[in-house]
Amino acid sequence: MKPSKPTTKPYTRRSESYKAEALKLADRIGYTEAARQLGLHESQLYGWRAKQSHQQTVS
């Protein structure tokens, strides 16, 4: 009998507009709740926020 592979979710690339809307939602209802509703990890939202802030300061 072959050992089974662990099932993993395929990598999903989100558009910049999706990320912006997700961050607006997170600012409105909180990062924990927004992550839960969108099926994301909180750390993803925090990472997107950091990247967005960095891009605004650089440009």
Side-chain angles (χ1 to χ4, degrees), residues 22-23 25-27 29-40 45:
L23 290 173
L25 177 65
D27 286 337
I29 65 171
Y31 281 76
T32 303
E33 182 60 22
R36 189 185 65 74
Q37 285 185 15
L38 297 170
L40 302 169
L45 291 173

Side-chain angles (χ1 to χ4, degrees), residues 6-25:
T7 58
T8 58
K9 290 176 99 176
Y11 178 77
T12 303
R13 175 165 239 131
R14 308 286 185 192
S15 69
E16 293 302 316
S17 61
Y18 178 88
K19 293 175 185 179
E21 289 299 316
L23 290 173
K24 285 180 191 175
L25 177 65

